[in-house]
Amino acid sequence: MGFTIMCTNMTVVLGGASSGKSKISEKICTISKLDRLYLASAECFDEEMRTKAAQHRTSRGEDWCTIEEPLAADRVISELKEGQILLFDCATMWLSNHLFAESDLAAETETLLAAIRACPAKIVIVSNETGLGIVPENALARRFRIAQGELNQRLAAEAGTVIGVMAGLPFALKGQLPEGFT
């Protein structure tokens, strides 16, 4: 049996939809006092998504550098420098994009993790916890739920810190909450 490399530069923030994951993740980045970058993996195909993305940009403020990249998160991560912190929001959309592109999910996950392992910057990854609901009725949704669970497990296994969020309240699943959280 192999061993898991601990990526002390990586924090994973997990929770359900609208649980407060992004807000908690933004706070982690802000209190770090590092140069903040935001990796947006969502593609805005409709007005609702465009509105949501605009609201996120406005709430973050102007002192973030936003990078929109739906598939190649590894390329963005490989260009990061020490003294920076990246908020990758979110791994769920990244996974969905790869699922719809019919990518090799295992290979893409390995490529992403390799980039994180080699990265000198701090990385905060937002991801949805999808395993707490009912079993979906269609094959694509079931495939997604399984793939999301596997991705979350891989990220959490390698992360130095894993934070769960429920009703806007963070709790440490692995490691400790960063200073500034009570």
Side-chain angles (χ1 to χ4, degrees):
M1 187 168 146
F3 64 94
T4 301
I5 297 170
M6 180 79 71
C7 298
T8 57
N9 66 324
M10 177 175 45
T11 297
V12 176
V13 181
L14 299 168
S18 298
S19 63
K21 301 178 303 291
S22 293
K23 205 171 257 186
I24 296 295
S25 299
E26 289 170 14
K27 183 175 180 182
I28 292 168
C29 293
T30 300
I31 64 176
S32 76
K33 304 292 186 201
L34 299 170
D35 291 335
R36 294 185 299 269
L37 296 98
Y38 183 92
L39 173 55
S41 59
E43 294 185 275
C44 298
F45 293 116
D46 60 30
E47 192 58 36
E48 180 184 354
M49 279 300 289
R50 284 188 286 279
T51 299
K52 185 175 181 178
Q55 288 170 338
H56 272 262
R57 273 192 299 277
T58 300
S59 73
R60 278 194 309 274
E62 295 182 17
D63 53 350
W64 289 77
C65 173
T66 300
I67 303 159
E68 295 178 2
E69 177 50 63
L71 294 169
D74 60 297
R75 278 189 255 150
V76 173
I77 291 167
S78 69
E79 294 176 8
L80 297 174
K81 310 266 186 280
E82 193 169 332
Q84 295 178 316
I85 188 164
L86 176 77
L87 174 50
F88 177 14
D89 197 354
C90 76
T92 304
M93 291 304 300
W94 173 86
L95 178 70
S96 296
N97 297 339
H98 278 291
L99 186 67
F100 289 127
E102 299 183 10
S103 301
D104 179 337
L105 299 180
E108 293 298 336
T109 298
E110 284 304 321
T111 301
L112 176 65
L113 288 169
I116 293 168
R117 288 181 202 119
C119 183
K122 301 281 186 193
I123 302 170
V124 178
I125 301 175
V126 175
S127 193
N128 286 353
E129 175 52 61
T130 59
L132 298 174
I134 60 172
V135 176
E137 69 176 62
N138 69 72
L140 178 60
R142 287 190 300 275
R143 181 174 173 224
F144 166 75
R145 183 184 60 127
I146 290 167
Q148 183 67 63
E150 290 172 353
L151 176 62
N152 287 347
Q153 289 179 52
R154 292 291 309 277
L155 291 169
E158 295 200 30
T161 305
V162 180
I163 298 172
V165 180
M166 186 175 287
L169 301 173
F171 51 94
L173 293 168
K174 180 180 181 181
Q176 297 180 346
L177 292 176
E179 284 188 39
F181 285 86
T182 55

